Every structure is written in structure tokens, then in C-alpha cells.
Amino acid sequence: MPWFRRLAWTPMILLVASGVLAQPDKKKDDKLPANVSYYKDVRPIFQQHCQGCHQPAMAKGGYVMTGHADLFKKSDTEAAGIVAGKPEISGVYQQIIPQKGKKPAMPRGKEPLSQREVTLIKKWIEQGAKDDTPASARLPSVDAEHPPVYKLPPVIDGLAFNKAGTLLAVTGYHEVLLHKADGTGLLARLVGMSEMVQSVSFSPDGKWLAVTGGNPGRFGEVQIWNVEKRKLKLSIPVTFDTIYGASWSHDSKLVAFGCADNSLRAIDAQTGSQVLFQGAHGDWVLDTVFSVKGTHLVSVSRDMSMKLTEVATARMVDNITSITPGALKGGLQAVDRHPTRDQLFIGGADGTPKLYQMFRTKDRKINDDFNRIRTFAPMQGRIFAAKFSPDGSRVVAGSSSDGKGEVRVFETDTGKSVSTFKGINGPIYALAYHPSGSVIASAGFEGVVHLNDAATGALIRDFVPVPLKK
Ligand code: HEC
């Protein structure tokens, strides 16, 4: 959900979701606690270093590490993960220490755990491997066999059609829902680890779905799903907070995203390894998009700026928006790129959608906003979603103002207003243009997906994308 709403939600999340109370151990206090806590000390280590490969949606080695009870079960090799009091026969401990002069087997392919982390885990097992999770943080575990149960429609932050125009991906709580593109049926529920799901994006080749999210104040995650098999391929832990704004490079190789530690990052979508880190923003990075040829990355942030980064060097090479004090009004929330030109459509807190060129053709001058091509008519409230039509001739923006929402379509090259959508009541946080160009999906605070005619704005259909329990 939008960052400011997320803050407002946090107290509610504390009540309904498991374990949000624990903060990551940022101090890295070297002194070991006399009594090692599962909840505060051990679980965050597993979350950061192990659960990406050991969770219900992807149990490598047949071993799940997301719930306390799971840890005591046997893996595929019939070895028990944890034997209380006995680290010497606990698989988890044996896997994180060197064996026969070889570096620790786990975490697979990553740097070994620090000495402190290894000692904490050992001591916790020696002390009985108890679960001290507070009652208020205990929740039934959520996985594909136990999908989320909804009493109310969840806030929707992300929508995406696949290129074939057959699927509509919708963010939910703890999951992404795959619907038929015309809204006539739910096809699959992709249940992952993150409670908050912020963005969804299909790869240009249609094979993969990138999902970003996390648990506020605990961990961030990028998921890569195999669309055809409906199977989680990668779960990459990133930072200690939710992740925003996934986008793909044109060749379906890289996924970029924004983080609440003010960084812009990209990973290799096959291996999950980080290929780009840029720390030039001064606030959360909320959306990203690659240039047409994939040589550059564009990021927008709560710091009000839109920045250009060279992919090969990870260097920030330009501020696309003017950085003159006073020129920018409010944080930027959404960016999209023209399908064939390096032009950018952005929206943010000032409520005025704008079109920019990505690359400067003249040297920067003080006070200029040289890259701006066009300003569209201001909308009600803040803009949270902004997209190009598949042929680039139109743009659509969605906004939120005092509990109401608005969706408007404009002509890209003239700025002329094309349509204002009917049947939109609540704030809009997500938009997707169907590849045919004739239908637009929108959703937001109310948890309802609307499908409108892009040209006339008429409502075709609306539906709640999750099964509701009475
Ligand atoms: C990048 C993926 C990945 C990560 C991260 C990872 N594992 Fe594994 N783990 C595997 C795979 C794959 C297996 C299957 C067995 C094998 O290939 O060795 C496995 C197996 C295991 C097993 C069962 C071993 C056996 O002999 O049955 C344990 C226990 C285990 N991992 C613990 C951990 C712990 C603890 C962490 C975090 C410190 C961790 N893993 C992180 C991929 C991973």
C-alpha cells in the first residue's frame, strides 16, 4: 500500500499479523544474551538467511524453516533439523558450521553466517530450542494449503496483465491472485512469505512474474514465480522493510525495485544475485523502469526526484526532474516508460501527471526543468499509479483524495483528456492497461478491481478478487 497508509496501518498489522513486534537487530551488540530468544535472536537470522529457500512455497531439501514447529521436522535425508539440547545432531547447526575443512553448506551459495549468529543458534539449541513468540504475534501459518482468509477485501497495490492478455495478476494479503483477464474467474493463488505485497510485474517474455513486498520493519522480499507452473522460483530477502516498484529489463533478464533504505537495486532474475545498487536517493524509492534498450534505469522517490542510473556501472548519471529547490512538489510515487521511446510518465503527491524525456539533449542549467515535455491537467489528490497504453498513444493515471479516487486517460502527444472513469469510488493505487489497449484495470483502497473501457471510461465489470468469508 502507499507508504503513508502503511504507516497508518502498522498498529492494525500488529494486531493481526504474526511477529511484527520484533525489530531487526540493528545494533549488532556483540555481547550474547544469557538466554537466547527464538523470537528476537534466532528467527530474524533464519528469516534473512534461510527462509528464501526453506519456506512452504519452496522447501529446498524438503525442509521448511518459517514456523517454529517446522524446524524440528526431518528433511529429505531424514535428518532432524533441530534436536532440542543437542546441536551436534541438529541438521541446522551442522549445516552452518564448516565440515571436514569445507566451508559451511548453508546458506547455499552465500556467505557463511557470522560467528555471532552461529553461536546464537548453537546456544539456543543447547538451551532447549524453545519458542518464546508472544501470544499476540502468533498466527496460524499461511501457505498454499492454508491460504489467507479474508473477512474484508484487502487493499490492492499492484495489478498487471500478461502480454498475451489472458491473465490479470492482483496483489492480496500474503499472496498474488491470478485472474482471467476479463475478470470472469480466479485461476490461481500464489501464496508467498510476505504479508504485504506491493507490486507485481510480468516479464516481457511472459514466463515470469516478479512480486515485491515484505513485512514492515522486519524483512523485504522479491519473489519470482514461474507463471505457467504457478510455482515460486526465487525468494530473495532484501533489507529489513517492504520492497516497492518491480520492473523488468526488455530481455526479461533483470528485475529492478526500490527499497525503504533509499536504495535502487536490480537482481538477475535467474540466479537472484544482486547486479545493481544505487544509493543516491534521499528517501524511499517507490517505483522503477528500464530504458527501452535496458542500458539505463529510472527511479522515483519520496525525495521528490526522478533519477537516471546507468545499468553497467550502477552510477547515477542525472536528475531527470529539476532539482532546483521549490521546483518539486511532494514525493513521486509512480513511473512508466513509453513502449518504444525513452519517455517517462510520472505521478506523485502534487496530483499533476507529467511527461519527461529520459535523456537530456542540452546541458543542465540552474532552474531548468528541461526534460519535461508536458504537464497534464491536475487530478484530485495524490497520484499513485501511472501507465502508458501498449502503443504509447495514451497515458492513464489514478489518484486518491480524501477517501475518493479518480482515473483519467489522456492523449500522450497532445495532453488532451480522453476519458474519466465511471464507477470508481475509493482511492486508486494500481492500474494496468490490457495489451489490446481497449480495457484498463484499476484498484486500490476498497479492494475492488474495476475493468473500464479505456476510450469511453464506461465500467465493464468490477469484482472483489479474493474469496470472502462471511
Ligand atoms: C539459496 C538456497 C538456500 C538457502 C539460502 C539455504 N538453503 Fe538449506 N538447503 C538448500 C538446498 C538446495 C538443500 C537441499 C540439500 C542440498 O542440496 O544440500 C538444503 C538443505 C538444507 C537442510 C537439510 C540438509 C540435509 O542433509 O537434509 C538444512 C538443515 C538446511 N538446508 C538448513 C539451512 C539453513 C540453516 C539455512 C540458513 C542459514 C539455509 N539452509 C539456507 C538451499 C538453501
Side-chain angles (χ1 to χ4, degrees):
M1 71 190 65
W3 58 268
F4 71 92
R5 282 216 29 89
R6 202 206 67 172
L7 298 180
W9 262 55
T10 305
M12 264 181 72
I13 294 161
L14 286 173
L15 296 176
V16 301
S18 68
V20 175
L21 288 162
Q23 291 298 316
D25 183 7
K26 283 182 189 122
K27 293 198 301 285
K28 288 279 173 272
D29 186 347
D30 276 345
K31 226 175 121 229
L32 290 169
N35 288 302
V36 180
S37 158
Y38 167 67
Y39 186 64
K40 287 200 225 105
D41 302 318
V42 173
R43 197 194 41 126
I45 302 174
F46 292 166
Q47 207 157 52
Q48 197 189 345
H49 299 285
C50 315
Q51 292 176 3
C53 298
H54 296 288
Q55 57 176 294
M58 192 183 353
K60 290 278 166 72
Y63 188 55
V64 172
M65 296 183 68
T66 42
H68 179 266
D70 300 323
L71 293 167
F72 294 82
K73 295 182 184 153
K74 287 179 175 168
S75 67
D76 281 350
T77 63
E78 294 295 307
I82 303 272
V83 181
K86 302 203 163 101
E88 65 284 1
I89 52 165
S90 293
V92 163
Y93 181 67
Q94 294 307 312
Q95 298 288 331
I96 59 171
I97 57 169
Q99 299 284 357
K100 298 184 192 129
K102 286 203 190 130
K103 93 176 226 220
M106 297 291 152
R108 171 58 48 88
K110 314 254 149 88
E111 283 300 304
L113 299 186
S114 70
Q115 193 52 51
R116 181 172 200 273
E117 290 167 325
V118 171
T119 311
L120 277 171
I121 292 167
K122 181 173 186 220
K123 207 167 157 188
W124 170 69
I125 297 172
E126 282 169 349
Q127 290 174 347
K130 292 196 195 78
D131 183 8
D132 61 348
T133 307
S136 63
R138 274 175 215 254
L139 256 200
S141 56
V142 171
D143 56 35
E145 277 82 55
H146 313 91
V149 175
Y150 298 88
K151 294 210 171 90
L152 290 169
V155 172
I156 298 169
D157 288 304
L159 288 171
F161 285 108
N162 64 343
K163 211 169 176 187
T166 52
L167 301 173
L168 175 62
V170 184
T171 62
Y173 171 78
H174 238 303
E175 68 176 329
V176 170
L177 301 114
L178 277 188
H179 279 265
K180 288 187 187 165
D182 62 3
T184 58
L186 175 61
L187 298 170
R189 303 178 70 176
L190 311 180
V191 182
M193 230 166 40
S194 294
E195 289 166 5
M196 299 289 137
V197 181
Q198 296 289 351
S199 77
V200 279
S201 177
F202 284 98
S203 60
D205 67 11
K207 291 186 186 146
W208 311 103
L209 181 71
V211 177
T212 67
N215 290 15
R218 288 233 320 257
F219 71 91
E221 186 195 13
V222 179
Q223 302 166 0
I224 310 281
W225 292 80
N226 179 319
V227 175
E228 198 191 317
K229 296 191 180 133
R230 321 273 201 244
K231 207 168 159 319
L232 185 63
K233 173 185 165 63
L234 285 176
S235 151
I236 310 295
V238 197
T239 78
F240 294 106
D241 216 322
T242 41
I243 306 296
Y244 298 88
S247 67
W248 288 85
S249 59
H250 65 297
D251 54 8
S252 300
K253 289 201 169 120
L254 305 182
V255 175
F257 46 89
C259 307
D261 67 356
N262 309 345
S263 66
L264 161 70
R265 303 182 195 215
I267 57 167
D268 178 312
Q270 289 302 306
T271 64
S273 54
Q274 185 166 297
V275 296
L276 182 143
F277 179 99
Q278 182 262 77
H281 277 288
D283 209 327
W284 298 8
V285 178
L286 297 175
D287 205 3
T288 68
V289 73
F290 282 87
S291 63
V292 173
K293 296 204 174 100
T295 55
H296 289 74
L297 247 177
V298 174
S299 49
V300 296
S301 162
R302 232 164 55 155
D303 72 4
M304 310 190 202
S305 77
M306 169 159 61
K307 295 190 191 292
L308 184 66
T309 301
E310 192 178 55
V311 173
T313 60
R315 261 187 35 236
M316 200 276 271
V317 291
D318 198 9
N319 279 296
I320 301 173
T321 43
S322 167
I323 51 164
T324 309
L328 301 167
K329 296 189 180 63
L332 292 176
Q333 184 80 31
V335 61
D336 193 22
R337 198 208 65 232
H338 188 285
T340 55
R341 306 178 202 156
D342 281 322
Q343 290 184 353
L344 301 157
F345 181 53
I346 61 169
D350 74 352
T352 303
K354 298 180 192 87
L355 187 70
Y356 278 80
Q357 62 188 32
M358 196 180 296
F359 299 105
R360 186 173 290 278
T361 51
K362 250 177 31 186
D363 281 349
R364 169 184 296 286
K365 282 209 208 72
I366 300 291
N367 286 332
D368 78 351
D369 196 1
F370 179 75
N371 292 320
R372 192 175 68 210
I373 301 169
R374 179 159 298 102
T375 299
F376 298 87
M379 294 177 53
Q380 293 283 319
R382 303 158 177 246
I383 293 170
F384 285 99
K387 295 282 177 205
F388 274 98
S389 65
D391 67 359
S393 66
R394 307 235 157 126
V395 287
V396 60
S399 74
S400 157
S401 158
D402 294 332
K404 292 213 166 64
E406 197 188 1
V407 178
R408 274 159 79 173
V409 178
F410 303 93
E411 275 182 13
T412 310
D413 290 337
T414 64
K416 224 179 84 194
S417 176
V418 174
S419 59
T420 299
F421 283 9
K422 318 281 184 313
I424 307 289
N425 299 311
I428 295 299
Y429 300 148
L431 288 168
Y433 232 114
H434 189 269
S436 68
S438 57
V439 176
I440 293 171
S442 63
F445 181 72
E446 294 195 315
V448 175
V449 177
H450 317 88
L451 298 175
N452 287 65
D453 183 307
T456 66
L459 181 69
I460 302 165
R461 176 192 292 273
D462 58 12
F463 61 98
V464 171
V466 301
L468 287 183
K469 196 184 166 198
K470 295 258 162 55

